Amino acid sequence: MPTVDRKDVEDLLKRLAGRNPLRSEATIQADVRQILLTGGLNLAENDLDVHLETQVGNRRRIDVEVGYTVIEVKKNLSDAVVRDALDQLTDYVATRTRETGQRYVGILTDGTEWRAYQLEHDALVEATRYELKAGRPDLQALLRWLEGVLATRRDVPPTPNEIRDRLGAESASYELDRANLAALYEEHGHLPTVQLKRQLWSELLRSALGTQFADDTDLFIEHTLLVNSAEIIAHLVLGFDVTDLQPATLLGGELFRRARISGVVEEDFFDWVLEVPGGESFVRTLARRLARFDWRQVEHDVLKVLYESIIGTDTRVRLGEYYTPDWLAEQVVAETVTDPLHQRVLDPACGSGTFLFHAARRYLAAAEEQEISLAKALEGLTGHVIGLDLHPVAVALARVTYVLAIGAERLNGKRRGIHVPIYLGDSIQWKQQQTDLFNADKLVISTTGDQIYGNELSFPEGLLDDVARFDTLISELATLAASRPSPGKVPSLTALFNRMAIEPEYRSGIQDNFRHLCDLHDQGRDHIWSYYVRNLARPWWLNQPKNRVDVLVGNPPWLAYRRMPVDMQDRFREFSEARGLWHGREVATHQDLSGLFVVRTVEQFLRVGGKFAFVLPNAALDRGYYAGFRSGRYADGLSTQITVAFEGSWDLRRIRPHFFPRGGAVVFGSRTGSQKGASALPVATIRWSGKLPRGGDAWQAVAPFLTREPAKLVIHNDDILESPYEPRFFQGATFIPRLLFLTERRASGPLGLPSGQQAVRSVRSSMEKPPWKNLPALEGVVEKEFIRPLLLGESILPYRLLEPREVVAPLENNQLLSGGSPHIDLYPGFADWWRRAEQIWLDKRSSERLDLIEQLDFRRKLSAQFPTPPLRLVYGASGMHVSAALVDDSLALCDKSAYWGTVTSEAEGYFLCCILNSPIFTQLVRPLMSYGKDERHIDKHIWKLPIPLYNSNDPVHARLAELGRREAHLVAGLQLDESGNYIKLRQIVRKALSEGPYADEVDELVVGLLDQ
């Protein structure tokens, strides 16, 4: 933003934030005007853009009018003042909206608090607000909020930070636009055409994303906002003044067709806004906000940033939507696309188009270097860089990303017509072995609304060879069906057939399809089918040997088996078993779609000798359930053998912060023509490490912070339990929600309590989640025998336990009690506590399957702890380092964040503690651990290393037991502030052990023991 005099502005903000009751409305109004004029909001200094006391109607005056915003200033915003002011503001907003045909926003402010309203059903509804903090008012934050409402700035660079700040979910622009769109859908979502488009959107996303996709109105609205935004941005890239265009033109793509650019903007699921009253006004307002940016300056996939800033992190994680950072996509493309002018590249899961952006830029740079004309370069580009995705929002964004990659200068240069080759399609082709998309050499599309694939529209495959002609034909059929002079009549297509030189053998079938499209239009169910037909044909076309590509790149869906709907699970297993990819057994739920996706797309779309590079979960490199994938041979049960030669991998686990919720990797290979040429994924890998800079997205920005070095993978076999100790260790019980169990002791008060009773209250934590965090703490007086020490994972240091927490546990003589037990009323204090806890659980639980006792003792994780062994070893279930200690307290319970197991003697306990607490042990077990944001899920992975049963007659075992005893004594003597953070305390203990006299010998003995 332009600089302003900081001192003057700070004084002004302090005046506004101070809420001085002696200040008049006129003074506040003057300060508001000054903020508008000097805040870098692109408003004219000559007052032409900021109007004070403008007249509206009969003797009424608007305090401040700016663009399409009216501002009402008051001394304070008490409830009574707000009620009266809203009556005035509603009248002003309604009048201006009626007079101009533009959607106005109303702001109510006392200078400190700013509230923005929109008109819905003749009443103002608050959409967003901002409040200055007294003592430290934030000018930039206020200006960002105001600019989002006013949409007055111009030529904003479309950097990731600017997009997040001005268009993301925290911006005033987003809150206003989303509220407007939500109101439109609430009022008109029942219309048949709107319902149909939402239904088809829902079915496609369920096919793409599995059970984690929910047909959610909020998500449909957010997707509509995203796609409408992308289509308007596409016009801005070409230099169109979108504020002067009709909404139907913006969302229908008419100007692109005139410019001979097809496949960018077209009728789709999300143009329902044009079919409802108020929708055109929404599109105009959205266009005005997007026109603030100079979209010609784009250097990477900015629509990915827009998507991620609008769709919340929780939703994206639930949907498995992990978008690749630009720097990684750029490097994968550079590594794989070595001859861009001659390699045809396909991203079969293109998302928002990140890989396509860099592949297109690489092609165009090579064309310029070879001095190829612009017309030939663009024609060649669209035949060499292609995208597919089953996600309709991703397809819409990727098409605009493709246009951004080409750039306005090229698109406005001397060129021929071009077709942007991004298609909505199922790259796996789930239906191929059941009801084929192509039956008897015809493309068949259902129009029943009950399923995506069916047999109501059909087109002969010969029409699909010429992509541009096929798309034009389908578009014209839909247009003719909608423009007939009278319903019920189906005109002849002879003129169209002659003009497009349609072969005689195809004409009868096309006429039949046209008749069906006319029927759909007459039923109010048209528009969307031409979109379906043109897009769903592409996967089949690419599968033909003559059309297969030279390079496959991308980031396939990371959809876990357990998240797939049942019918998809069945097909996934069928496809996987046929190709030798199914692992099954106890790790079946860990398998995901990514491995099958790679194999299936290589099988369908990649020519023999072609290369591939895919971003996958890091588990693909070394987990046992990816063994079939890593083999490179996928022939079992197939009539055609599919084989690949893997050529290496990148291990990305050591990069911080993680850019995916799970560890990532890249695998490289090529398709071979025979079993002889196949080769498994090498254990040699390239390990990337480093810390990514904040805000860095391009390769040039992150390269100085990353290192790459050769490394070897440790391949894990999931079926082998290496250590005989594995069956002896168990996870603790599920004391969740903590609110109902964890307690702190309270003072008994001046009158005291009867013997054996204790006043307690729930322990609260900032880590609590809804609905529990919003509930009051439980308080009561409980018999002391029901208060038990609880060992959490954070209670465990190497060789030492911190003071345990306390829980109210329903245990009578180590037997579980419930609210219905006949014994519970013998303990009135506990009975009262437990019955209140049970009622809270019943009211707030997310599933009706478990009552509170069943939740606590899920899979017998509490009852299995009894009778309590005299000596146990415990270790934390997660952490960057393994921490283990001995427990001899028979009353202590173990929480799910800890694992416990019986040891038969102190010597055996110290033997295990010595091994588990050694630094070298953590290094050895880390590659075998589950991947989250770090390898910190210890669980039972430690028993995958071959730790033998303790044998007192073995001198190495005995020495490790003795060293464990000595290290335990050393740790016991440390002066620790146990009230401190447990992570810091663990660091202190590990440092003391590493500097102690036994560290080197322990590491040497542990390595030798495990090597045996």
Side-chain angles (χ1 to χ4, degrees), residues 814-835:
N814 292 336
Q815 299 294 316
L816 289 174
L817 290 177
S818 69
S821 169
H823 294 282
I824 193 170
D825 290 316
L826 299 176
Y827 310 98
F830 168 71
D832 175 65
W833 176 285
W834 188 252
R835 284 170 177 156

Side-chain angles (χ1 to χ4, degrees), residues 630-643:
R630 291 193 297 270
S631 73
R633 292 171 171 82
Y634 319 113
D636 293 347
L638 297 175
S639 58
T640 303
Q641 295 182 343
I642 306 300
T643 56

Side-chain angles (χ1 to χ4, degrees), residues 877-880 929-930 932-939 982-983:
S878 63
M880 293 299 294
M929 289 158 57
S930 299
K933 288 198 170 183
D934 295 294
E935 300 90 329
R936 54 181 297 110
H937 300 291
I938 295 168
D939 298 313
Y982 74 95
I983 296 176

Side-chain angles (χ1 to χ4, degrees), residues 439-471:
N439 287 330
D441 299 326
K442 289 185 178 181
L443 164 67
V444 289
I445 304 289
S446 168
T447 58
T448 63
D450 298 325
Q451 59 182 10
I452 293 172
Y453 307 111
N455 55 8
E456 294 190 34
L457 288 173
S458 64
F459 298 88
E461 66 175 79
L463 281 174
L464 274 66
D465 285 336
D466 186 333
V467 175
R469 186 176 77 148
F470 180 75
D471 285 5

